[in-house]
Amino acid sequence: MGSLMRSEQMVLCQLFLQSESAYSCVSELGELGLVQFRDLNPDVNAFQRKFVSEVRRCDEMERKLRYIEREIKKDKIPVLDLGDNPDAPAPREMIDLEASFEKLENELREVNSNNEALNKNFLELTELKHILRKTQQFFDEHERSLQADAQEALVHQDQLEQQQQALHLGFVAGVILRERVPAFERMLWRACRGNVFLKQAQIDVPLSDPVTGDEVWKSVFIIFFQGDQLKTRVKKICEGFRATLYPCPESAAERREMAMGVMTRIEDLKTVLSQTTDHRHRVLVLAAKNIKNWFIKVKKIKAIYHMLNMFNLDVTQKCLIAECWCATADLDKVHHALKRGQERSGSNVPSILNRMATSQKPPTFHRTNKFTKVFQSLIDAYGISSYQEINPAPFSIITFPFLFSVMFGDFGHGFIMFLAALWMVLRERQLQAKKSDNEIWNMFFGGRYLILMMGAFSVYAGLLYNDIFSKSINVFGSSWSVPSGVYFFNDSVDNWLTSATLEPSPYHLFENKSGRYYLPYNETTSSFSGSPYPFGLDPVWAIATNKLTFINSFKMKLSIILGVVHMMFGIWLGLLNHTFFNQAINIFCEFIPQVLFLSCTFLYLVVEIIYKWVSWSAREPNLDTLTGCSPNLLIGMINMYLFTGGQYNNTLDPITHTNYTCSSANPLFGQEGEFVQKFLVIIIAVCIPWLLVPKPFLLWRRGVSKKTSNRHIQAEGDIIGDREEIIHHDHLQISDSNDDAHEEEESIGDIVVHQAIHTIEFCLGCISHTASYLRLWALSLAHGQLSEVLWSMVLKIGFTMNTGYFGAVVIVAAFPFWACLTVAVLLAMEGLSAFLHTLRLHWVEFNSKFYKGEGYAFEPFTFEHLLDDTPVE
């Protein structure tokens, strides 16, 4: 809890590593993941560093592995992920890895090239087979048509024979993509002016493209023409449409003989292709077993050399010098890691780890686990806490789900949310192993413990609100009772009581079908038993006519109480920061006036609310002074700032005991409280200049004193002057990160403007932030009303039907619709809305009271992120 409350104490270390053991030492530190290296060569180009050639070799190995990975995915071979985490290979093993990857890549490329050539040959033979088959059908149809024409014209047989001998047509045959046939036919007709005859037929089965492997649909065509000019023109058109032409013999015997040869070659090619595919598959299966580990090894090697590029070489070129941030508590682990690295490398020279004294701002490092990580992430999204600043994360573990539950208080909805998060928690190992790419799922799964807490707190808030899917449960018995024997004028049914307003006042409003009546307080007409409901809200309020009036007033005041307490807690946390950093000026010039300002304004309002709840009773009014009316807090606050006191001004008809009127100007504490209120207003007025003036003046005086002391130091001599120059140089290096020094160097005008903005922001923020906490009441009201509307407009319809089985059918039909809307609207949308409002209350209203968030995160060199980013899944 200590490191979560404040960041770990960090130390800047200097490492001296021998060139032979530097690789192994950095590898061990990467496995440990506890040091953040600094770049000692920020001005050196990435291509001019010492180990740039090794990084390029790693890039080349990654390229080869990505090629192998694509081939594995192309064959849909599963990659086994056993969760292994191999150590980073030694530098001498890098050569073996390169040779293995080179051999595997060349083998795959050769196999793919041969396979592509075989597939192309197979495609050509397949197309030729279809051409021979289809052209034979064309010629057979043509011969049958000629025989039919000859039988019909036997008289002109001699003339036909002469025409056939004189007319000799040439032809070409080939295949073309099916979608290009219409355009191809039009182009032939136009270019050849109708002097060619085209015959085409579709291939019934799809063919495989040898390059892409996609299925394509093609058609066989044969074109008849006469003359060499048309032949040349037809071939050019075929070439333009990327049609493939094949030789086709003129005689049927030659075509049959060629077809038989083609079939034989196709069978031989199928055998060769099968053997080639099996060999390729075996190679890829072996690669799939190791490619995960190969990726990890290469990434580790690349990360190590990237870190080594950030180091400096000493004068002898035999030692590497590095600087790193490390937690003080982890120095022993770092020492052991360096020792293991030295032993792995076989070096006899130990590595040296020295602490460095520096004034630079260290990084912020909070140790978290799987439970606290999500809460820390919410705070880091607002801003990384300054070094050893109070961290709001441990407090948000309670306050965040609690404020969420105030807005989302429903037992049923909270229980569903709790069960969903509990399922993710119980099965987190199996779900983590799947490594889903769905960002929305990963976001919900990462916040499973936060959702679990929000669901549990919502269940508790739902019990307090006595709200379960907008319905209330009577567990302990209601403390209210409606008088059943009250009637008016006569005993007719029309005059019996139909509703009653629940109000523990001396006069109760009852209503029947004849009108509204006021009855004075006595034992027979009182509807309140005098003892409150044991736990939570009385269930009778669910059916009361003044339900919203009571619940809104209660939740509004509760929101103010929670908001003021939350903000006051934030201000007191600021005191811990001021004390820890020895900022006495901030304690006396910021903390004390801030506490007084908030206490005299809204903490006093909280006291009034609680005092009114506890001490003010309407059950026993004073009929002489009519002091039983509770005062209006808003009017009382206005009177407080206007210095106008209130007085009792209530009226009652003494004869009929009706028309009982309460004055809103009744004082809460009586006439004696006016002096206290005036004193509080005076304190408020004093706090504003208290925040504005003293701190700039004290900072200015401290700056003047420092300049005076610097002048005395400069006059002491050359040696002291040299020392001052060194100190000044160190101060310039850290001026960007040292806030105190930055404040001291500011001019008086900048300090005054900064403090004026801070004062205005705090004073106005107290008012606006207090009003902002009313969102707790508003979101709770909206959630309750949406739930009630969804119940009454969907599921209640079936329960109110008096049609027997038909009502049950309606309930069964409406339940899925009601359940889907409940999950989509009330759990998802309303839950997200309540989450965002809770996040705003923590970021703006709470954190602004003490949290600066001006630090930078501790980003250690670790191989853990490399395992998560491995592309193979």
Side-chain angles (χ1 to χ4, degrees):
M1 187 67 177
S3 64
L4 193 61
M5 180 74 70
R6 295 188 187 274
S7 61
E8 286 279 349
Q9 186 176 359
M10 308 297 291
V11 60
L12 183 62
C13 299
Q14 190 175 41
L15 296 176
F16 294 90
L17 307 175
Q18 292 297 316
S19 300
E20 297 81 5
S21 62
Y23 180 93
S24 300
C25 291
V26 174
S27 175
E28 290 295 332
L29 293 176
E31 297 289 351
L32 192 63
L34 293 177
V35 297
Q36 175 181 338
F37 290 103
R38 297 179 59 200
D39 190 0
L40 301 182
N41 307 300
D43 299 329
V44 179
N45 192 295
F47 300 100
Q48 297 175 348
R49 303 203 178 193
K50 178 176 178 57
F51 299 98
V52 63
S53 60
E54 285 79 2
V55 174
R56 288 179 176 175
R57 290 166 61 190
C58 292
D59 291 336
E60 181 65 17
M61 287 192 290
E62 283 187 331
R63 182 196 61 79
K64 295 175 181 178
L65 288 176
R66 286 194 296 269
Y67 170 75
I68 299 172
E69 178 194 3
R70 287 196 300 270
E71 296 300 318
I72 292 174
K73 290 183 176 180
K74 187 184 296 184
D75 277 21
K76 298 180 180 179
I77 299 175
V79 177
L80 297 179
D81 184 7
L82 301 178
D84 296 338
N85 182 17
D87 295 334
R92 58 181 175 271
E93 298 180 16
M94 187 175 176
I95 301 176
D96 298 335
L97 288 176
E98 287 179 312
S100 300
F101 299 159
E102 182 73 21
K103 179 181 177 182
L104 185 57
E105 182 191 23
N106 293 336
E107 184 177 3
L108 284 176
R109 290 189 182 277
E110 183 179 357
V111 171
N112 290 339
S113 177
N114 295 335
N115 194 31
E116 183 178 343
L118 291 173
N119 282 324
K120 185 177 181 181
N121 194 5
F122 181 79
L123 177 64
E124 292 175 353
L125 292 175
T126 304
E127 291 177 349
L128 181 57
K129 178 187 72 173
H130 288 289
I131 287 175
L132 294 175
R133 185 179 300 171
K134 296 295 183 181
T135 53
Q136 185 63 35
Q137 296 176 2
F138 295 158
F139 285 115
D140 291 343
E141 292 175 0
H142 182 64
E143 290 178 359
R144 285 194 296 268
S145 63
L146 288 178
Q147 292 176 1
D149 294 340
Q151 291 176 359
E152 292 177 0
L154 292 176
V155 180
H156 305 285
Q157 184 175 4
D158 296 336
Q159 296 178 359
L160 290 173
E161 292 178 355
Q162 295 176 0
Q163 291 177 1
Q164 290 176 3
Q165 294 176 358
L167 181 63
H168 180 73
L169 297 178
F171 67 91
V172 293
V175 294
I176 190 173
L177 292 176
R178 187 176 297 180
E179 60 268 16
R180 297 179 182 176
V181 170
F184 180 63
E185 188 173 359
R186 287 194 301 269
M187 180 59 70
L188 283 173
W189 179 263
R190 293 174 181 175
C192 299
R193 299 181 181 180
N195 293 321
V196 296
F197 176 72
L198 172 67
K199 187 72 174 178
Q200 63 92 16
Q202 296 179 353
I203 300 177
D204 299 332
V205 293
L207 303 178
S208 178
D209 189 290
V211 179
T212 62
D214 300 332
E215 292 184 348
V216 292
W217 295 87
K218 293 188 176 183
S219 297
V220 174
F221 65 88
I222 184 170
I223 305 173
F224 295 93
F225 52 85
Q226 185 179 19
D228 294 335
Q229 285 187 339
L230 286 179
K231 181 179 180 180
T232 304
R233 192 172 300 175
V234 167
K235 287 186 176 181
K236 288 184 178 180
I237 294 174
C238 292
E239 183 181 355
F241 279 86
R242 296 184 180 180
T244 307
L245 300 179
Y246 291 94
C248 182
E250 295 184 1
S251 64
E254 292 178 353
R255 287 194 294 270
R256 283 193 295 270
E257 183 179 357
M258 179 177 285
M260 293 176 61
V262 168
M263 293 300 298
T264 304
R265 293 175 61 187
I266 287 176
E267 293 299 326
D268 295 339
L269 270 179
K270 285 183 178 179
T271 304
V272 177
L273 278 172
S274 177
Q275 295 176 354
T276 304
T277 304
D278 291 341
H279 174 69
R280 180 177 183 273
H281 185 77
R282 287 194 299 269
V283 172
L284 291 178
V285 167
L286 292 176
K289 294 180 180 179
N290 300 316
I291 192 168
K292 178 74 175 180
N293 291 340
W294 286 343
F295 264 113
I296 295 175
K297 289 181 178 180
V298 173
K299 284 182 174 292
K300 285 186 175 182
I301 296 173
K302 184 178 178 180
I304 291 172
Y305 281 116
H306 178 69
M307 287 297 112
L308 291 176
N309 278 331
M310 300 171 66
F311 298 173
N312 271 339
L313 285 171
D314 68 341
V315 180
T316 62
Q317 302 289 318
K318 294 182 179 180
C319 180
L320 292 173
I321 303 173
E323 292 182 4
C324 63
W325 289 105
C326 175
T328 305
D330 296 330
L331 285 177
D332 292 338
K333 296 180 181 179
V334 175
H335 277 292
H336 290 305
L338 294 175
K339 186 176 181 180
R340 290 194 302 269
Q342 174 197 343
E343 295 174 353
R344 281 184 56 188
S345 63
S347 175
N348 297 324
V349 181
S351 301
I352 301 175
L353 176 65
N354 294 330
R355 292 192 182 189
M356 296 178 63
T358 180
S359 300
Q360 297 184 16
K361 181 189 294 184
T364 300
F365 175 40
H366 295 289
R367 297 187 191 272
T368 58
N369 52 35
K370 59 184 179 181
F371 177 77
T372 58
K373 182 179 180 180
V374 60
F375 296 96
Q376 187 63 53
S377 299
L378 293 177
I379 302 302
D380 292 343
Y382 174 80
I384 305 297
S385 60
S386 302
Y387 178 63
Q388 291 201 321
E389 182 184 16
I390 284 288
N391 183 22
F395 310 107
S396 65
I397 295 175
I398 301 299
T399 60
F400 195 95
F402 175 74
L403 293 182
F404 174 86
S405 66
V406 174
M407 295 180 279
F408 198 76
D410 188 288
F411 180 89
H413 302 154
F415 191 66
I416 294 175
M417 182 180 293
F418 177 81
L419 290 180
L422 183 63
W423 174 78
M424 289 189 286
V425 170
L426 295 178
R427 294 181 56 86
E428 62 181 9
R429 290 187 178 180
Q430 295 88 333
L431 296 174
Q432 282 178 343
K434 293 182 179 180
K435 295 182 179 179
S436 174
D437 292 333
N438 192 316
E439 293 184 4
I440 297 179
W441 162 254
N442 291 334
M443 180 177 60
F444 279 102
F445 181 73
R448 58 192 179 278
Y449 288 100
L450 175 61
I451 299 175
L452 184 73
M453 294 288 290
M454 293 192 301
F457 275 73
S458 298
V459 168
Y460 174 73
L463 292 176
L464 288 180
Y465 294 161
N466 202 347
D467 200 356
I468 305 176
F469 296 115
S470 76
K471 300 289 105 180
S472 298
I473 296 180
N474 191 357
V475 179
F476 303 101
S478 176
S479 300
W480 294 79
S481 61
V482 178
S484 59
V486 178
Y487 61 91
F488 308 98
F489 300 109
N490 54 55
D491 294 337
S492 63
V493 179
D494 292 338
N495 288 329
W496 280 96
L497 187 68
T498 59
S499 65
T501 300
L502 300 180
E503 184 178 358
S505 62
Y507 299 94
H508 304 278
L509 171 64
F510 298 99
E511 183 177 355
N512 62 9
K513 295 183 180 180
S514 299
R516 313 176 85 184
Y517 303 89
Y518 290 89
L519 293 181
Y521 164 79
N522 57 57
E523 296 297 331
T524 60
T525 61
S526 174
S527 58
F528 181 55
S529 63
S531 59
Y533 194 69
F535 181 80
L537 200 64
D538 198 305
V540 75
W541 285 105
I543 58 174
T545 57
N546 58 337
K547 171 186 175 181
L548 287 180
T549 303
F550 168 74
I551 293 180
N552 283 348
S553 176
F554 170 74
K555 291 185 177 180
M556 187 187 303
K557 295 180 176 64
L558 183 64
S559 300
I560 296 296
I561 294 174
L562 295 177
V564 173
V565 171
H566 200 209
M567 291 189 295
M568 183 63 73
F569 179 62
I571 294 177
W572 278 93
L573 289 179
L575 175 63
L576 299 181
N577 278 334
H578 303 328
T579 305
F580 182 83
F581 294 113
N582 296 322
Q583 297 172 337
I585 294 179
N586 291 344
I587 295 176
F588 293 102
C589 300
E590 286 188 359
F591 168 73
I592 294 177
Q594 286 177 356
V595 170
L596 292 177
F597 186 89
L598 186 60
S599 300
C600 296
T601 52
F602 294 104
L603 187 60
Y604 175 71
L605 177 61
V606 171
V607 173
E608 286 186 322
I609 293 173
I610 297 176
Y611 178 76
K612 181 179 177 181
W613 281 349
V614 176
S615 301
W616 209 269
S617 175
R619 288 300 309 272
E620 298 178 357
N622 189 332
L623 296 179
D624 296 330
T625 61
L626 296 181
T627 57
C629 288
S630 59
N632 189 305
L633 297 179
L634 180 60
I635 299 299
M637 291 294 291
I638 295 175
N639 291 335
M640 170 181 169
Y641 292 106
L642 296 179
F643 291 98
T644 57
Q647 59 182 355
Y648 296 107
N649 187 21
N650 307 317
T651 60
L652 173 69
D653 191 335
I655 299 176
T656 61
H657 293 280
T658 59
N659 298 327
Y660 182 74
T661 305
C662 290
S663 173
S664 61
N666 291 339
L668 185 66
F669 297 105
Q671 303 296 335
E672 297 81 3
E674 293 184 14
F675 172 77
V676 176
Q677 292 181 349
K678 293 178 181 179
F679 179 72
L680 294 179
V681 174
I682 293 174
I683 293 178
I684 294 171
V686 171
C687 288
I688 297 177
W690 191 352
L691 282 169
L692 182 62
V693 177
K695 183 177 179 179
F697 176 76
L698 294 177
L699 291 177
W700 175 74
R701 289 289 300 172
R702 181 167 40 166
V704 172
S705 301
K706 182 181 178 181
K707 291 179 180 179
T708 304
S709 62
N710 288 340
R711 294 193 191 99
H712 290 299
I713 293 175
Q714 291 177 357
E716 291 182 1
D718 294 337
I719 299 177
I720 298 179
D722 295 339
R723 284 185 56 194
E724 197 279 335
E725 182 179 356
I726 296 174
I727 296 173
H728 181 67
H729 178 68
D730 182 68
H731 173 71
L732 289 177
Q733 290 180 345
I734 64 175
S735 61
D736 293 336
S737 59
N738 194 327
D739 294 338
D740 294 336
H742 183 65
E743 287 181 355
E744 293 169 1
E745 292 181 354
E746 286 182 336
S747 64
I748 183 62
D750 295 337
I751 296 175
V752 170
V753 171
H754 179 271
Q755 190 64 23
I757 294 175
H758 177 72
T759 302
I760 296 173
E761 180 183 6
F762 175 79
C763 295
L764 296 182
C766 285
I767 302 173
S768 62
H769 293 174
T770 304
S772 179
Y773 277 94
L774 291 177
R775 69 184 69 239
L776 298 174
W777 153 62
L779 268 293
S780 176
L781 173 64
H783 185 81
Q785 291 302 303
L786 281 175
S787 181
E788 188 171 350
V789 167
L790 188 60
W791 171 273
S792 60
M793 296 187 65
V794 180
L795 203 58
K796 185 180 178 182
I797 298 175
F799 287 101
T800 56
M801 286 186 174
N802 297 323
T803 55
Y805 293 104
F806 183 72
V809 173
V810 173
I811 293 175
V812 173
F815 179 79
F817 185 66
W818 173 82
C820 292
L821 287 179
T822 298
V823 173
V825 177
L826 295 178
L827 264 72
M829 296 178 60
E830 277 289 307
L832 180 60
S833 175
F835 174 84
L836 294 177
H837 283 284
T838 307
L839 191 63
R840 180 244 155 75
L841 290 178
H842 281 76
W843 279 1
V844 179
E845 279 72 22
F846 179 60
N847 288 355
S848 62
K849 299 298 182 293
F850 69 98
Y851 187 65
K852 291 183 178 180
E854 298 175 350
Y856 63 99
F858 176 66
E859 298 177 352
F861 170 60
T862 176
F863 293 143
E864 181 180 357
H865 302 298
L866 301 180
L867 302 181
D868 297 336
D869 297 338
T870 303
V872 179
E873 296 181 359

PDB file of all heavy atoms in Angstrom, residues 845-856:
ATOM      1  N   GLU A 845     -13.531  17.361  -9.796  1.00  0.00           N
ATOM      2  CA  GLU A 845     -13.929  17.837  -8.470  1.00  0.00           C
ATOM      3  C   GLU A 845     -12.991  17.362  -7.369  1.00  0.00           C
ATOM      4  O   GLU A 845     -12.702  18.111  -6.431  1.00  0.00           O
ATOM      5  CB  GLU A 845     -15.365  17.376  -8.164  1.00  0.00           C
ATOM      6  CG  GLU A 845     -16.450  18.224  -8.790  1.00  0.00           C
ATOM      7  CD  GLU A 845     -16.565  18.040 -10.291  1.00  0.00           C
ATOM      8  OE1 GLU A 845     -16.113  16.976 -10.778  1.00  0.00           O
ATOM      9  OE2 GLU A 845     -17.091  18.933 -10.976  1.00  0.00           O
ATOM     10  N   PHE A 846     -12.504  16.125  -7.460  1.00  0.00           N
ATOM     11  CA  PHE A 846     -11.685  15.570  -6.376  1.00  0.00           C
ATOM     12  C   PHE A 846     -10.192  15.824  -6.603  1.00  0.00           C
ATOM     13  O   PHE A 846      -9.497  16.364  -5.740  1.00  0.00           O
ATOM     14  CB  PHE A 846     -11.962  14.065  -6.260  1.00  0.00           C
ATOM     15  CG  PHE A 846     -11.165  13.375  -5.192  1.00  0.00           C
ATOM     16  CD1 PHE A 846     -11.277  13.745  -3.860  1.00  0.00           C
ATOM     17  CD2 PHE A 846     -10.292  12.346  -5.517  1.00  0.00           C
ATOM     18  CE1 PHE A 846     -10.545  13.103  -2.880  1.00  0.00           C
ATOM     19  CE2 PHE A 846      -9.557  11.704  -4.548  1.00  0.00           C
ATOM     20  CZ  PHE A 846      -9.680  12.078  -3.220  1.00  0.00           C
ATOM     21  N   ASN A 847      -9.681  15.450  -7.766  1.00  0.00           N
ATOM     22  CA  ASN A 847      -8.242  15.570  -8.010  1.00  0.00           C
ATOM     23  C   ASN A 847      -7.764  17.013  -8.015  1.00  0.00           C
ATOM     24  O   ASN A 847      -6.610  17.293  -7.678  1.00  0.00           O
ATOM     25  CB  ASN A 847      -7.879  14.913  -9.344  1.00  0.00           C
ATOM     26  CG  ASN A 847      -7.953  13.400  -9.280  1.00  0.00           C
ATOM     27  OD1 ASN A 847      -8.179  12.843  -8.215  1.00  0.00           O
ATOM     28  ND2 ASN A 847      -7.774  12.736 -10.401  1.00  0.00           N
ATOM     29  N   SER A 848      -8.626  17.945  -8.428  1.00  0.00           N
ATOM     30  CA  SER A 848      -8.189  19.338  -8.511  1.00  0.00           C
ATOM     31  C   SER A 848      -7.876  19.932  -7.145  1.00  0.00           C
ATOM     32  O   SER A 848      -7.243  20.985  -7.070  1.00  0.00           O
ATOM     33  CB  SER A 848      -9.271  20.179  -9.200  1.00  0.00           C
ATOM     34  OG  SER A 848     -10.478  20.173  -8.444  1.00  0.00           O
ATOM     35  N   LYS A 849      -8.276  19.277  -6.066  1.00  0.00           N
ATOM     36  CA  LYS A 849      -8.043  19.824  -4.736  1.00  0.00           C
ATOM     37  C   LYS A 849      -6.637  19.561  -4.226  1.00  0.00           C
ATOM     38  O   LYS A 849      -6.179  20.218  -3.284  1.00  0.00           O
ATOM     39  CB  LYS A 849      -9.073  19.250  -3.752  1.00  0.00           C
ATOM     40  CG  LYS A 849     -10.509  19.576  -4.106  1.00  0.00           C
ATOM     41  CD  LYS A 849     -10.757  21.073  -4.095  1.00  0.00           C
ATOM     42  CE  LYS A 849     -12.199  21.419  -4.411  1.00  0.00           C
ATOM     43  NZ  LYS A 849     -12.567  21.086  -5.804  1.00  0.00           N
ATOM     44  N   PHE A 850      -5.933  18.585  -4.803  1.00  0.00           N
ATOM     45  CA  PHE A 850      -4.608  18.264  -4.269  1.00  0.00           C
ATOM     46  C   PHE A 850      -3.664  17.676  -5.314  1.00  0.00           C
ATOM     47  O   PHE A 850      -2.459  17.639  -5.087  1.00  0.00           O
ATOM     48  CB  PHE A 850      -4.737  17.254  -3.123  1.00  0.00           C
ATOM     49  CG  PHE A 850      -5.169  15.891  -3.556  1.00  0.00           C
ATOM     50  CD1 PHE A 850      -4.249  14.874  -3.756  1.00  0.00           C
ATOM     51  CD2 PHE A 850      -6.507  15.610  -3.790  1.00  0.00           C
ATOM     52  CE1 PHE A 850      -4.647  13.602  -4.159  1.00  0.00           C
ATOM     53  CE2 PHE A 850      -6.915  14.352  -4.189  1.00  0.00           C
ATOM     54  CZ  PHE A 850      -5.983  13.346  -4.376  1.00  0.00           C
ATOM     55  N   TYR A 851      -4.167  17.222  -6.435  1.00  0.00           N
ATOM     56  CA  TYR A 851      -3.381  16.409  -7.367  1.00  0.00           C
ATOM     57  C   TYR A 851      -2.881  17.263  -8.519  1.00  0.00           C
ATOM     58  O   TYR A 851      -3.666  17.902  -9.217  1.00  0.00           O
ATOM     59  CB  TYR A 851      -4.258  15.263  -7.884  1.00  0.00           C
ATOM     60  CG  TYR A 851      -3.543  14.234  -8.718  1.00  0.00           C
ATOM     61  CD1 TYR A 851      -2.559  13.432  -8.177  1.00  0.00           C
ATOM     62  CD2 TYR A 851      -3.858  14.059 -10.055  1.00  0.00           C
ATOM     63  CE1 TYR A 851      -1.919  12.465  -8.922  1.00  0.00           C
ATOM     64  CE2 TYR A 851      -3.231  13.097 -10.820  1.00  0.00           C
ATOM     65  CZ  TYR A 851      -2.261  12.303 -10.245  1.00  0.00           C
ATOM     66  OH  TYR A 851      -1.624  11.348 -10.995  1.00  0.00           O
ATOM     67  N   LYS A 852      -1.553  17.273  -8.733  1.00  0.00           N
ATOM     68  CA  LYS A 852      -0.972  18.026  -9.838  1.00  0.00           C
ATOM     69  C   LYS A 852      -0.877  17.188 -11.099  1.00  0.00           C
ATOM     70  O   LYS A 852      -1.207  17.642 -12.181  1.00  0.00           O
ATOM     71  CB  LYS A 852       0.412  18.553  -9.454  1.00  0.00           C
ATOM     72  CG  LYS A 852       0.389  19.638  -8.392  1.00  0.00           C
ATOM     73  CD  LYS A 852       1.798  20.161  -8.127  1.00  0.00           C
ATOM     74  CE  LYS A 852       1.783  21.282  -7.098  1.00  0.00           C
ATOM     75  NZ  LYS A 852       3.152  21.807  -6.836  1.00  0.00           N
ATOM     76  N   GLY A 853      -0.401  15.971 -10.977  1.00  0.00           N
ATOM     77  CA  GLY A 853      -0.286  15.087 -12.135  1.00  0.00           C
ATOM     78  C   GLY A 853       0.664  15.595 -13.194  1.00  0.00           C
ATOM     79  O   GLY A 853       0.372  15.547 -14.383  1.00  0.00           O
ATOM     80  N   GLU A 854       1.845  16.068 -12.776  1.00  0.00           N
ATOM     81  CA  GLU A 854       2.821  16.631 -13.698  1.00  0.00           C
ATOM     82  C   GLU A 854       4.057  15.745 -13.856  1.00  0.00           C
ATOM     83  O   GLU A 854       5.098  16.203 -14.310  1.00  0.00           O
ATOM     84  CB  GLU A 854       3.236  18.023 -13.218  1.00  0.00           C
ATOM     85  CG  GLU A 854       2.087  19.019 -13.175  1.00  0.00           C
ATOM     86  CD  GLU A 854       2.495  20.357 -12.595  1.00  0.00           C
ATOM     87  OE1 GLU A 854       3.635  20.435 -12.058  1.00  0.00           O
ATOM     88  OE2 GLU A 854       1.708  21.310 -12.663  1.00  0.00           O
ATOM     89  N   GLY A 855       3.959  14.479 -13.460  1.00  0.00           N
ATOM     90  CA  GLY A 855       5.101  13.589 -13.567  1.00  0.00           C
ATOM     91  C   GLY A 855       5.127  12.851 -14.894  1.00  0.00           C
ATOM     92  O   GLY A 855       4.324  13.096 -15.788  1.00  0.00           O
ATOM     93  N   TYR A 856       6.071  11.942 -15.024  1.00  0.00           N
ATOM     94  CA  TYR A 856       6.146  11.082 -16.201  1.00  0.00           C
ATOM     95  C   TYR A 856       6.334   9.653 -15.725  1.00  0.00           C
ATOM     96  O   TYR A 856       6.943   9.387 -14.685  1.00  0.00           O
ATOM     97  CB  TYR A 856       7.278  11.516 -17.136  1.00  0.00           C
ATOM     98  CG  TYR A 856       8.674  11.421 -16.576  1.00  0.00           C
ATOM     99  CD1 TYR A 856       9.504  10.334 -16.871  1.00  0.00           C
ATOM    100  CD2 TYR A 856       9.179  12.415 -15.753  1.00  0.00           C
ATOM    101  CE1 TYR A 856      10.788  10.249 -16.366  1.00  0.00           C
ATOM    102  CE2 TYR A 856      10.463  12.339 -15.239  1.00  0.00           C
ATOM    103  CZ  TYR A 856      11.261  11.261 -15.551  1.00  0.00           C
ATOM    104  OH  TYR A 856      12.529  11.166 -15.040  1.00  0.00           O
TER     105      TYR A 856
END
